[in-house]
Amino acid sequence: MTAENVSPHPDNGSAPIAVIAGASGFIGRSLMTPLNSWGYQVRTIGQAASSGTHVSWDDPEKIAALIDGADLLINFAGRSVGCRYNDRNRQGIWDSRVMTTQVLNDAVRTASAPPRLWINSSTATIYRHAMDQPQTEDDGDIGEGFSVDVAKGWEREFFQGELPRTRRVAIRMAIVLGDGAALNMLATAARFGAGGPQLEGRWFGHTRYRGIGPDASGPKVWHRHPLSHGRQRFSWVHIDDVVRAIRFIDEHEQLTGPINVSSPGVSDNTTLMASLRRAVRMPLGIPAFRWLLEIGMLVLRQESELVLKSRWVLPKRLEQAGFDFTWTDIRAATKSLLR
């Protein structure tokens, strides 16, 4: 048996507790079985109606009791961003991240036996639209607008206050490829012959991407990103590497603060869509100019930011600590996931 397969927490009758908030989501579900295999007893926080949830968000006292004495806390709570950014959805996305993290922060701060480690989800979308250079934790430029403000508010609430007995890591994840909404939507487009590159261009200005929160940033009326001709960068990470990175962070105490979880094999939009076409065996891929993309996104109730923003993110701190990504080729990753 290799060290990779040996549980860091031998079963001695008092296995440590791992609490997952947002366990019903795509990434949370992917963590349940691995956490058990690593020797943890898993407990969950979620919506009251979710089957199998141990504690619901509407009972902060039970949340505090569950967290007190837990060894590991992982938070993936957050409403899906796969929607139109109207006022109601914007506020729902903000509250589902910032307010839930505040509840957890209060519980950890008041616990007599707080978790050894708290891993909180964040997003690599916190960085600016980047075509000129990669963004790392040490020298990346924070962007502006709605999605960035959500990420900043999320991390601000996470790192709020002193928690001397709890190590905190915010994982700034790139777009996660697996059985999730992002890959499924793009693969569906490729299957129907619409798997060409997505091209920025002229369109009507709108206010859906305006900033949010106490320090709202960016212009009120958003028009477009700089033209990228389908070469906007696409930072991604395979779900298997997300799970492996979480275990790596658990085992390496020197890792604290923001950590980029993004494959070093950064792609671009044109290469991504070509890889998806090959994976689904569709030779035709019609390019989607901005006007056509916006019509399609309106029908799908999505936002074009998913494919038009250039995300160029590198996992500097993880790699410096010795983490090796299994999936670094976008072609191999999409072929494996869509086979």
Side-chain angles (χ1 to χ4, degrees):
M1 182 178 291
T2 65
E4 180 76 8
N5 296 321
V6 175
S7 169
H9 305 291
D11 185 5
N12 57 9
S14 58
I17 293 173
V19 176
I20 304 181
S24 62
F26 159 48
I27 302 174
R29 294 195 309 270
S30 300
L31 266 177
M32 300 288 284
T33 298
L35 282 168
N36 279 310
S37 71
W38 302 341
Y40 285 106
Q41 303 176 60
V42 179
R43 301 291 183 267
T44 58
I45 303 171
Q47 299 299 326
S50 299
S51 61
T53 296
H54 292 91
V55 177
S56 66
W57 286 112
D58 57 10
D59 196 336
E61 291 185 1
K62 287 187 178 179
I63 290 175
L66 184 65
I67 288 174
D68 197 346
D71 184 67
L72 174 63
L73 171 61
I74 303 176
N75 179 26
F76 283 113
R79 174 178 174 166
S80 171
V81 295
C83 61
R84 297 292 281 182
Y85 294 167
N86 57 41
D87 288 350
R88 179 179 179 181
N89 289 341
R90 282 163 48 90
Q91 195 62 48
I93 290 169
W94 171 275
D95 290 346
S96 67
R97 287 160 173 76
V98 177
M99 303 307 291
T100 54
T101 302
Q102 182 182 64
V103 170
L104 297 178
N105 196 308
D106 291 342
V108 173
R109 186 177 63 254
T110 58
S112 58
R116 166 186 57 86
L117 170 63
W118 178 7
I119 297 174
N120 209 77
S121 182
S122 183
T123 173
T125 300
I126 197 170
Y127 300 111
R128 66 174 171 86
H129 175 94
M131 293 287 293
D132 54 339
Q133 64 183 30
Q135 308 294 296
T136 72
E137 303 94 335
D138 297 331
D139 57 15
D141 299 318
I142 304 301
E144 61 181 17
F146 171 66
S147 295
V148 171
D149 287 348
V150 169
K152 290 191 298 184
W154 205 358
E155 291 192 7
R156 181 169 54 244
E157 197 59 54
F158 175 54
F159 289 115
Q160 182 73 28
E162 296 293 328
L163 300 177
R165 292 187 287 170
T166 300
R167 175 164 60 102
R168 285 180 282 186
V169 176
I171 52 174
R172 292 175 175 171
M173 288 184 293
I175 293 175
V176 181
L177 299 185
D179 188 19
L183 181 63
N184 291 336
M185 182 182 71
L186 293 172
T188 298
R191 286 191 180 97
F192 285 92
Q198 285 89 31
L199 305 171
E200 182 64 275
R202 293 181 181 275
W203 189 248
F204 303 104
H206 62 78
T207 61
R208 298 191 308 277
Y209 295 175
R210 70 189 186 278
I212 192 172
D215 302 309
S217 66
K220 183 175 181 180
V221 178
W222 188 87
H223 291 277
R224 70 180 188 184
H225 296 296
L227 296 179
S228 52
H229 308 289
R231 293 298 176 183
Q232 60 269 29
R233 299 286 181 159
F234 181 78
S235 286
W236 59 280
V237 61
H238 194 291
I239 183 60
D240 290 352
D241 279 332
V242 173
V243 174
R244 293 179 58 249
I246 287 172
R247 185 176 188 186
F248 188 86
I249 291 168
D250 187 6
E251 296 173 337
H252 289 74
E253 295 183 358
Q254 76 272 26
L255 292 173
T256 62
I259 300 290
N260 290 345
V261 179
S262 179
S263 171
V266 180
S267 183
D268 61 35
N269 180 263
T270 297
T271 303
L272 165 70
M273 298 312 296
S275 300
L276 290 172
R277 293 197 303 273
R278 279 192 291 269
V280 301
R281 300 176 182 175
M282 168 55 74
L284 176 67
I286 300 173
F289 293 92
R290 177 71 183 281
W291 65 269
L292 180 60
L293 181 64
E294 288 292 347
I295 294 172
M297 290 295 183
L298 180 61
V299 172
L300 294 172
R301 309 305 299 163
Q302 302 285 331
E303 291 289 352
S304 62
E305 182 182 51
L306 170 69
V307 291
L308 291 181
K309 180 176 180 178
S310 184
R311 297 171 172 87
W312 190 355
V313 181
L314 291 181
K316 180 178 179 180
R317 292 183 182 173
L318 270 180
E319 290 195 310
Q320 284 181 338
F323 182 77
D324 290 321
F325 285 81
T326 300
W327 296 95
T328 58
D329 187 312
I330 190 68
R331 299 170 186 85
T334 52
K335 182 179 180 180
S336 170
L337 291 165
L338 297 173
R339 63 183 182 274

